[in-house]
mmCIF file of all heavy atoms in Angstrom:
data_model
loop_
_atom_site.group_PDB
_atom_site.id
_atom_site.type_symbol
_atom_site.label_atom_id
_atom_site.label_comp_id
_atom_site.label_asym_id
_atom_site.label_seq_id
_atom_site.Cartn_x
_atom_site.Cartn_y
_atom_site.Cartn_z
ATOM 1 N N THR A 155 0.832 -1.203 0.000
ATOM 2 C CA THR A 155 0.000 0.000 0.000
ATOM 3 C C THR A 155 0.863 1.248 0.000
ATOM 4 O O THR A 155 0.620 2.189 -0.771
ATOM 5 C CB THR A 155 -0.935 0.009 1.223
ATOM 6 O OG1 THR A 155 -1.739 -1.167 1.203
ATOM 7 C CG2 THR A 155 -1.819 1.237 1.237
ATOM 8 N N THR A 156 1.876 1.279 0.841
ATOM 9 C CA THR A 156 2.747 2.442 0.923
ATOM 10 C C THR A 156 3.468 2.684 -0.390
ATOM 11 O O THR A 156 3.540 3.820 -0.876
ATOM 12 C CB THR A 156 3.770 2.275 2.063
ATOM 13 O OG1 THR A 156 3.061 2.081 3.289
ATOM 14 C CG2 THR A 156 4.659 3.486 2.194
ATOM 15 N N ALA A 157 3.995 1.641 -0.993
ATOM 16 C CA ALA A 157 4.735 1.793 -2.249
ATOM 17 C C ALA A 157 3.839 2.313 -3.363
ATOM 18 O O ALA A 157 4.221 3.225 -4.104
ATOM 19 C CB ALA A 157 5.359 0.460 -2.651
ATOM 20 N N VAL A 158 2.638 1.760 -3.484
ATOM 21 C CA VAL A 158 1.724 2.199 -4.543
ATOM 22 C C VAL A 158 1.309 3.653 -4.328
ATOM 23 O O VAL A 158 1.331 4.464 -5.264
ATOM 24 C CB VAL A 158 0.483 1.273 -4.602
ATOM 25 C CG1 VAL A 158 -0.603 1.868 -5.484
ATOM 26 C CG2 VAL A 158 0.879 -0.100 -5.104
ATOM 27 N N LEU A 159 0.940 3.994 -3.105
ATOM 28 C CA LEU A 159 0.508 5.369 -2.831
ATOM 29 C C LEU A 159 1.652 6.358 -3.003
ATOM 30 O O LEU A 159 1.453 7.463 -3.522
ATOM 31 C CB LEU A 159 -0.086 5.472 -1.427
ATOM 32 C CG LEU A 159 -1.398 4.720 -1.208
ATOM 33 C CD1 LEU A 159 -1.843 4.862 0.243
ATOM 34 C CD2 LEU A 159 -2.472 5.195 -2.159
ATOM 35 N N TYR A 160 2.847 5.978 -2.580
ATOM 36 C CA TYR A 160 4.010 6.852 -2.736
ATOM 37 C C TYR A 160 4.290 7.111 -4.213
ATOM 38 O O TYR A 160 4.571 8.244 -4.612
ATOM 39 C CB TYR A 160 5.233 6.228 -2.066
ATOM 40 C CG TYR A 160 6.468 7.089 -2.177
ATOM 41 C CD1 TYR A 160 6.683 8.127 -1.280
ATOM 42 C CD2 TYR A 160 7.405 6.876 -3.177
ATOM 43 C CE1 TYR A 160 7.811 8.924 -1.368
ATOM 44 C CE2 TYR A 160 8.529 7.669 -3.281
ATOM 45 C CZ TYR A 160 8.728 8.690 -2.381
ATOM 46 O OH TYR A 160 9.844 9.479 -2.481
ATOM 47 N N ASN A 161 4.186 6.077 -5.028
ATOM 48 C CA ASN A 161 4.429 6.228 -6.462
ATOM 49 C C ASN A 161 3.371 7.078 -7.150
ATOM 50 O O ASN A 161 3.617 7.612 -8.223
ATOM 51 C CB ASN A 161 4.538 4.859 -7.141
ATOM 52 C CG ASN A 161 5.825 4.164 -6.792
ATOM 53 O OD1 ASN A 161 6.837 4.796 -6.492
ATOM 54 N ND2 ASN A 161 5.805 2.853 -6.798
ATOM 55 N N HIS A 162 2.197 7.197 -6.535
ATOM 56 C CA HIS A 162 1.145 8.054 -7.081
ATOM 57 C C HIS A 162 1.178 9.458 -6.467
ATOM 58 O O HIS A 162 0.280 10.258 -6.705
ATOM 59 C CB HIS A 162 -0.229 7.421 -6.868
ATOM 60 C CG HIS A 162 -0.517 6.324 -7.839
ATOM 61 N ND1 HIS A 162 -0.101 5.019 -7.626
ATOM 62 C CD2 HIS A 162 -1.147 6.333 -9.033
ATOM 63 C CE1 HIS A 162 -0.480 4.283 -8.642
ATOM 64 N NE2 HIS A 162 -1.119 5.053 -9.520
ATOM 65 N N GLY A 163 2.182 9.721 -5.669
ATOM 66 C CA GLY A 163 2.362 11.054 -5.096
ATOM 67 C C GLY A 163 1.429 11.388 -3.945
ATOM 68 O O GLY A 163 1.201 12.560 -3.648
ATOM 69 N N ILE A 164 0.893 10.380 -3.283
ATOM 70 C CA ILE A 164 -0.019 10.602 -2.162
ATOM 71 C C ILE A 164 0.785 11.030 -0.938
ATOM 72 O O ILE A 164 1.781 10.403 -0.582
ATOM 73 C CB ILE A 164 -0.833 9.329 -1.838
ATOM 74 C CG1 ILE A 164 -1.601 8.849 -3.065
ATOM 75 C CG2 ILE A 164 -1.758 9.549 -0.652
ATOM 76 C CD1 ILE A 164 -2.634 9.789 -3.579
ATOM 77 N N LYS A 165 0.330 12.111 -0.307
ATOM 78 C CA LYS A 165 0.992 12.608 0.900
ATOM 79 C C LYS A 165 0.776 11.612 2.048
ATOM 80 O O LYS A 165 -0.288 11.035 2.184
ATOM 81 C CB LYS A 165 0.412 13.967 1.279
ATOM 82 C CG LYS A 165 1.084 14.614 2.451
ATOM 83 C CD LYS A 165 0.492 15.968 2.738
ATOM 84 C CE LYS A 165 1.192 16.557 3.955
ATOM 85 N NZ LYS A 165 0.612 17.836 4.327
ATOM 86 N N ASP A 166 1.792 11.426 2.857
ATOM 87 C CA ASP A 166 1.757 10.529 4.014
ATOM 88 C C ASP A 166 1.413 9.094 3.624
ATOM 89 O O ASP A 166 0.634 8.409 4.292
ATOM 90 C CB ASP A 166 0.769 11.026 5.073
ATOM 91 C CG ASP A 166 1.166 12.367 5.659
ATOM 92 O OD1 ASP A 166 2.382 12.621 5.761
ATOM 93 O OD2 ASP A 166 0.272 13.151 6.008
ATOM 94 N N ALA A 167 2.024 8.613 2.553
ATOM 95 C CA ALA A 167 1.764 7.252 2.070
ATOM 96 C C ALA A 167 2.107 6.212 3.123
ATOM 97 O O ALA A 167 1.420 5.187 3.235
ATOM 98 C CB ALA A 167 2.556 6.996 0.793
ATOM 99 N N ASP A 168 3.139 6.468 3.912
ATOM 100 C CA ASP A 168 3.521 5.500 4.939
ATOM 101 C C ASP A 168 2.442 5.353 6.011
ATOM 102 O O ASP A 168 2.159 4.254 6.470
ATOM 103 C CB ASP A 168 4.871 5.840 5.558
ATOM 104 C CG ASP A 168 4.978 7.286 6.003
ATOM 105 O OD1 ASP A 168 4.165 8.113 5.569
ATOM 106 O OD2 ASP A 168 5.889 7.595 6.789
ATOM 107 N N LEU A 169 1.807 6.459 6.374
ATOM 108 C CA LEU A 169 0.731 6.373 7.366
ATOM 109 C C LEU A 169 -0.488 5.644 6.809
ATOM 110 O O LEU A 169 -1.143 4.883 7.532
ATOM 111 C CB LEU A 169 0.337 7.777 7.829
ATOM 112 C CG LEU A 169 1.431 8.551 8.568
ATOM 113 C CD1 LEU A 169 0.941 9.940 8.944
ATOM 114 C CD2 LEU A 169 1.883 7.794 9.795
ATOM 115 N N TRP A 170 -0.790 5.857 5.539
ATOM 116 C CA TRP A 170 -1.881 5.133 4.900
ATOM 117 C C TRP A 170 -1.559 3.641 4.824
ATOM 118 O O TRP A 170 -2.456 2.803 4.974
ATOM 119 C CB TRP A 170 -2.174 5.696 3.512
ATOM 120 C CG TRP A 170 -2.906 6.988 3.553
ATOM 121 C CD1 TRP A 170 -2.407 8.230 3.269
ATOM 122 C CD2 TRP A 170 -4.270 7.194 3.921
ATOM 123 N NE1 TRP A 170 -3.383 9.175 3.438
ATOM 124 C CE2 TRP A 170 -4.537 8.571 3.836
ATOM 125 C CE3 TRP A 170 -5.293 6.329 4.317
ATOM 126 C CZ2 TRP A 170 -5.781 9.108 4.126
ATOM 127 C CZ3 TRP A 170 -6.542 6.873 4.604
ATOM 128 C CH2 TRP A 170 -6.777 8.240 4.507
ATOM 129 N N GLY A 171 -0.306 3.302 4.593
ATOM 130 C CA GLY A 171 0.095 1.902 4.567
ATOM 131 C C GLY A 171 -0.089 1.234 5.914
ATOM 132 O O GLY A 171 -0.585 0.103 6.004
ATOM 133 N N ILE A 172 0.309 1.932 6.960
ATOM 134 C CA ILE A 172 0.123 1.403 8.309
ATOM 135 C C ILE A 172 -1.364 1.250 8.606
ATOM 136 O O ILE A 172 -1.806 0.232 9.146
ATOM 137 C CB ILE A 172 0.811 2.306 9.353
ATOM 138 C CG1 ILE A 172 2.337 2.233 9.178
ATOM 139 C CG2 ILE A 172 0.409 1.913 10.764
ATOM 140 C CD1 ILE A 172 3.101 3.258 9.984
ATOM 141 N N ALA A 173 -2.158 2.240 8.221
ATOM 142 C CA ALA A 173 -3.610 2.179 8.448
ATOM 143 C C ALA A 173 -4.238 0.996 7.711
ATOM 144 O O ALA A 173 -5.132 0.327 8.247
ATOM 145 C CB ALA A 173 -4.261 3.485 8.018
ATOM 146 N N ALA A 174 -3.773 0.732 6.498
ATOM 147 C CA ALA A 174 -4.308 -0.396 5.732
ATOM 148 C C ALA A 174 -4.003 -1.714 6.429
ATOM 149 O O ALA A 174 -4.862 -2.607 6.515
ATOM 150 C CB ALA A 174 -3.723 -0.400 4.320
ATOM 151 N N GLY A 175 -2.801 -1.854 6.959
ATOM 152 C CA GLY A 175 -2.443 -3.063 7.689
ATOM 153 C C GLY A 175 -3.242 -3.221 8.969
ATOM 154 O O GLY A 175 -3.695 -4.322 9.294
ATOM 155 N N PHE A 176 -3.420 -2.117 9.697
ATOM 156 C CA PHE A 176 -4.216 -2.155 10.921
ATOM 157 C C PHE A 176 -5.645 -2.575 10.593
ATOM 158 O O PHE A 176 -6.225 -3.429 11.266
ATOM 159 C CB PHE A 176 -4.235 -0.787 11.597
ATOM 160 C CG PHE A 176 -3.075 -0.517 12.515
ATOM 161 C CD1 PHE A 176 -1.781 -0.867 12.165
ATOM 162 C CD2 PHE A 176 -3.268 0.112 13.717
ATOM 163 C CE1 PHE A 176 -0.713 -0.602 13.008
ATOM 164 C CE2 PHE A 176 -2.218 0.378 14.566
ATOM 165 C CZ PHE A 176 -0.938 0.018 14.216
ATOM 166 N N ALA A 177 -6.218 -1.957 9.568
ATOM 167 C CA ALA A 177 -7.603 -2.256 9.187
ATOM 168 C C ALA A 177 -7.749 -3.726 8.790
ATOM 169 O O ALA A 177 -8.715 -4.387 9.191
ATOM 170 C CB ALA A 177 -8.041 -1.340 8.048
ATOM 171 N N ALA A 178 -6.804 -4.231 8.021
ATOM 172 C CA ALA A 178 -6.867 -5.626 7.598
ATOM 173 C C ALA A 178 -6.825 -6.572 8.803
ATOM 174 O O ALA A 178 -7.582 -7.546 8.864
ATOM 175 C CB ALA A 178 -5.723 -5.942 6.641
ATOM 176 N N GLY A 179 -5.950 -6.276 9.751
ATOM 177 C CA GLY A 179 -5.837 -7.118 10.946
ATOM 178 C C GLY A 179 -7.092 -7.100 11.792
ATOM 179 O O GLY A 179 -7.557 -8.149 12.270
ATOM 180 N N ILE A 180 -7.673 -5.920 11.963
ATOM 181 C CA ILE A 180 -8.882 -5.799 12.779
ATOM 182 C C ILE A 180 -10.070 -6.457 12.086
ATOM 183 O O ILE A 180 -10.823 -7.221 12.704
ATOM 184 C CB ILE A 180 -9.162 -4.320 13.097
ATOM 185 C CG1 ILE A 180 -8.071 -3.787 14.042
ATOM 186 C CG2 ILE A 180 -10.539 -4.143 13.715
ATOM 187 C CD1 ILE A 180 -8.073 -2.290 14.216
ATOM 188 N N ILE A 181 -10.247 -6.175 10.797
ATOM 189 C CA ILE A 181 -11.374 -6.754 10.061
ATOM 190 C C ILE A 181 -11.282 -8.275 10.021
ATOM 191 O O ILE A 181 -12.276 -8.976 10.208
ATOM 192 C CB ILE A 181 -11.454 -6.161 8.637
ATOM 193 C CG1 ILE A 181 -11.862 -4.694 8.717
ATOM 194 C CG2 ILE A 181 -12.411 -6.953 7.767
ATOM 195 C CD1 ILE A 181 -11.721 -3.934 7.419
ATOM 196 N N LYS A 182 -10.081 -8.779 9.815
ATOM 197 C CA LYS A 182 -9.897 -10.232 9.765
ATOM 198 C C LYS A 182 -10.313 -10.878 11.083
ATOM 199 O O LYS A 182 -10.972 -11.913 11.101
ATOM 200 C CB LYS A 182 -8.438 -10.562 9.440
ATOM 201 C CG LYS A 182 -8.205 -12.006 9.054
ATOM 202 C CD LYS A 182 -7.771 -12.784 10.260
ATOM 203 C CE LYS A 182 -7.461 -14.232 9.885
ATOM 204 N NZ LYS A 182 -7.685 -15.125 11.001
ATOM 205 N N GLU A 183 -9.942 -10.271 12.187
ATOM 206 C CA GLU A 183 -10.296 -10.841 13.485
ATOM 207 C C GLU A 183 -11.783 -10.675 13.791
ATOM 208 O O GLU A 183 -12.369 -11.506 14.478
ATOM 209 C CB GLU A 183 -9.443 -10.235 14.594
ATOM 210 C CG GLU A 183 -7.990 -10.626 14.517
ATOM 211 C CD GLU A 183 -7.764 -12.130 14.420
ATOM 212 O OE1 GLU A 183 -8.390 -12.900 15.172
ATOM 213 O OE2 GLU A 183 -6.950 -12.537 13.575
ATOM 214 N N LEU A 184 -12.408 -9.629 13.276
ATOM 215 C CA LEU A 184 -13.842 -9.443 13.510
ATOM 216 C C LEU A 184 -14.680 -10.492 12.780
ATOM 217 O O LEU A 184 -15.751 -10.876 13.265
ATOM 218 C CB LEU A 184 -14.276 -8.037 13.067
ATOM 219 C CG LEU A 184 -13.806 -6.885 13.950
ATOM 220 C CD1 LEU A 184 -14.196 -5.553 13.337
ATOM 221 C CD2 LEU A 184 -14.377 -7.011 15.360
ATOM 222 N N ILE A 185 -14.202 -10.953 11.626
ATOM 223 C CA ILE A 185 -14.972 -11.942 10.872
ATOM 224 C C ILE A 185 -14.540 -13.383 11.164
ATOM 225 O O ILE A 185 -15.156 -14.313 10.667
ATOM 226 C CB ILE A 185 -14.907 -11.670 9.354
ATOM 227 C CG1 ILE A 185 -13.480 -11.772 8.823
ATOM 228 C CG2 ILE A 185 -15.505 -10.331 9.018
ATOM 229 C CD1 ILE A 185 -13.371 -11.689 7.323
ATOM 230 N N ASP A 186 -13.513 -13.548 11.980
ATOM 231 C CA ASP A 186 -13.021 -14.880 12.343
ATOM 232 C C ASP A 186 -14.018 -15.600 13.249
ATOM 233 O O ASP A 186 -14.717 -14.977 14.046
ATOM 234 C CB ASP A 186 -11.694 -14.758 13.093
ATOM 235 C CG ASP A 186 -10.564 -15.475 12.399
ATOM 236 O OD1 ASP A 186 -10.805 -16.114 11.373
ATOM 237 O OD2 ASP A 186 -9.428 -15.373 12.892
ATOM 238 N N ASP A 187 -14.038 -16.941 13.154
ATOM 239 C CA ASP A 187 -14.867 -17.731 14.061
ATOM 240 C C ASP A 187 -14.323 -17.678 15.488
ATOM 241 O O ASP A 187 -15.086 -17.659 16.447
ATOM 242 C CB ASP A 187 -14.916 -19.197 13.602
ATOM 243 C CG ASP A 187 -15.701 -19.360 12.314
ATOM 244 O OD1 ASP A 187 -16.569 -18.514 12.028
ATOM 245 O OD2 ASP A 187 -15.439 -20.347 11.594
ATOM 246 N N LYS A 188 -12.994 -17.666 15.606
ATOM 247 C CA LYS A 188 -12.344 -17.585 16.916
ATOM 248 C C LYS A 188 -11.391 -16.396 16.906
ATOM 249 O O LYS A 188 -10.194 -16.545 16.651
ATOM 250 C CB LYS A 188 -11.568 -18.869 17.205
ATOM 251 C CG LYS A 188 -12.423 -20.096 17.303
ATOM 252 C CD LYS A 188 -11.579 -21.325 17.562
ATOM 253 C CE LYS A 188 -12.446 -22.565 17.554
ATOM 254 N NZ LYS A 188 -11.648 -23.776 17.725
ATOM 255 N N PRO A 189 -11.898 -15.187 17.201
ATOM 256 C CA PRO A 189 -11.018 -14.010 17.184
ATOM 257 C C PRO A 189 -9.919 -14.107 18.245
ATOM 258 O O PRO A 189 -10.156 -14.584 19.354
ATOM 259 C CB PRO A 189 -11.946 -12.839 17.485
ATOM 260 C CG PRO A 189 -13.305 -13.392 17.630
ATOM 261 C CD PRO A 189 -13.256 -14.869 17.530
ATOM 262 N N ASP A 190 -8.743 -13.671 17.880
ATOM 263 C CA ASP A 190 -7.599 -13.689 18.792
ATOM 264 C C ASP A 190 -6.908 -12.328 18.723
ATOM 265 O O ASP A 190 -6.335 -11.971 17.693
ATOM 266 C CB ASP A 190 -6.627 -14.794 18.385
ATOM 267 C CG ASP A 190 -5.472 -14.954 19.350
ATOM 268 O OD1 ASP A 190 -5.423 -14.223 20.363
ATOM 269 O OD2 ASP A 190 -4.604 -15.806 19.090
ATOM 270 N N PRO A 191 -6.973 -11.554 19.808
ATOM 271 C CA PRO A 191 -6.334 -10.232 19.791
ATOM 272 C C PRO A 191 -4.840 -10.287 19.482
ATOM 273 O O PRO A 191 -4.296 -9.380 18.870
ATOM 274 C CB PRO A 191 -6.572 -9.694 21.212
ATOM 275 C CG PRO A 191 -7.736 -10.466 21.733
ATOM 276 C CD PRO A 191 -7.679 -11.807 21.063
ATOM 277 N N ALA A 192 -4.178 -11.373 19.873
ATOM 278 C CA ALA A 192 -2.743 -11.494 19.592
ATOM 279 C C ALA A 192 -2.480 -11.517 18.091
ATOM 280 O O ALA A 192 -1.469 -10.987 17.622
ATOM 281 C CB ALA A 192 -2.177 -12.744 20.257
ATOM 282 N N ASP A 193 -3.385 -12.115 17.320
ATOM 283 C CA ASP A 193 -3.238 -12.121 15.867
ATOM 284 C C ASP A 193 -3.354 -10.706 15.311
ATOM 285 O O ASP A 193 -2.584 -10.306 14.431
ATOM 286 C CB ASP A 193 -4.302 -13.011 15.220
ATOM 287 C CG ASP A 193 -4.072 -14.490 15.463
ATOM 288 O OD1 ASP A 193 -2.958 -14.856 15.901
ATOM 289 O OD2 ASP A 193 -5.004 -15.269 15.208
ATOM 290 N N ALA A 194 -4.305 -9.939 15.810
ATOM 291 C CA ALA A 194 -4.472 -8.552 15.358
ATOM 292 C C ALA A 194 -3.232 -7.734 15.699
ATOM 293 O O ALA A 194 -2.759 -6.938 14.876
ATOM 294 C CB ALA A 194 -5.719 -7.929 15.983
ATOM 295 N N TYR A 195 -2.690 -7.923 16.895
ATOM 296 C CA TYR A 195 -1.484 -7.195 17.295
ATOM 297 C C TYR A 195 -0.296 -7.563 16.405
ATOM 298 O O TYR A 195 0.498 -6.700 16.028
ATOM 299 C CB TYR A 195 -1.139 -7.451 18.760
ATOM 300 C CG TYR A 195 -2.184 -6.968 19.735
ATOM 301 C CD1 TYR A 195 -2.516 -7.712 20.848
ATOM 302 C CD2 TYR A 195 -2.858 -5.767 19.540
ATOM 303 C CE1 TYR A 195 -3.481 -7.284 21.742
ATOM 304 C CE2 TYR A 195 -3.819 -5.325 20.427
ATOM 305 C CZ TYR A 195 -4.129 -6.090 21.522
ATOM 306 O OH TYR A 195 -5.081 -5.661 22.401
ATOM 307 N N ALA A 196 -0.174 -8.839 16.076
ATOM 308 C CA ALA A 196 0.931 -9.271 15.214
ATOM 309 C C ALA A 196 0.815 -8.625 13.833
ATOM 310 O O ALA A 196 1.814 -8.204 13.244
ATOM 311 C CB ALA A 196 0.949 -10.786 15.095
ATOM 312 N N THR A 197 -0.412 -8.546 13.308
ATOM 313 C CA THR A 197 -0.624 -7.897 12.015
ATOM 314 C C THR A 197 -0.246 -6.424 12.094
ATOM 315 O O THR A 197 0.361 -5.873 11.171
ATOM 316 C CB THR A 197 -2.088 -8.051 11.564
ATOM 317 O OG1 THR A 197 -2.449 -9.431 11.607
ATOM 318 C CG2 THR A 197 -2.280 -7.522 10.154
ATOM 319 N N MET A 198 -0.580 -5.784 13.196
ATOM 320 C CA MET A 198 -0.254 -4.368 13.373
ATOM 321 C C MET A 198 1.256 -4.145 13.464
ATOM 322 O O MET A 198 1.777 -3.196 12.880
ATOM 323 C CB MET A 198 -0.947 -3.824 14.626
ATOM 324 C CG MET A 198 -2.434 -3.746 14.504
ATOM 325 S SD MET A 198 -3.168 -3.191 16.057
ATOM 326 C CE MET A 198 -4.891 -3.426 15.697
#
C-alpha cells in the first residue's frame, strides 16, 4: 500500500500503509470464528 501510494504522489503514504495493515488485521479478526487479539497485534 505504501509503495503504490508513494508512487502516485499521495501525501503521508507510509501512514496510509500502516492504516491499511491495521484495518486488515482488525477486520480479519472481527470476521473470524475464533477471534484472537494477539493475531491482530501481530498484524499491526
Side-chain angles (χ1 to χ4, degrees):
T155 302
T156 302
V158 168
L159 293 178
Y160 181 83
N161 288 333
H162 282 85
I164 303 297
K165 184 178 179 183
D166 296 327
D168 50 343
L169 296 178
W170 285 107
I172 292 170
F176 274 43
I180 292 169
I181 291 169
K182 193 265 183 208
E183 292 308 314
L184 288 175
I185 62 173
D186 240 357
D187 291 335
K188 297 179 184 177
D190 185 1
D193 289 346
Y195 297 140
T197 307
M198 292 177 188

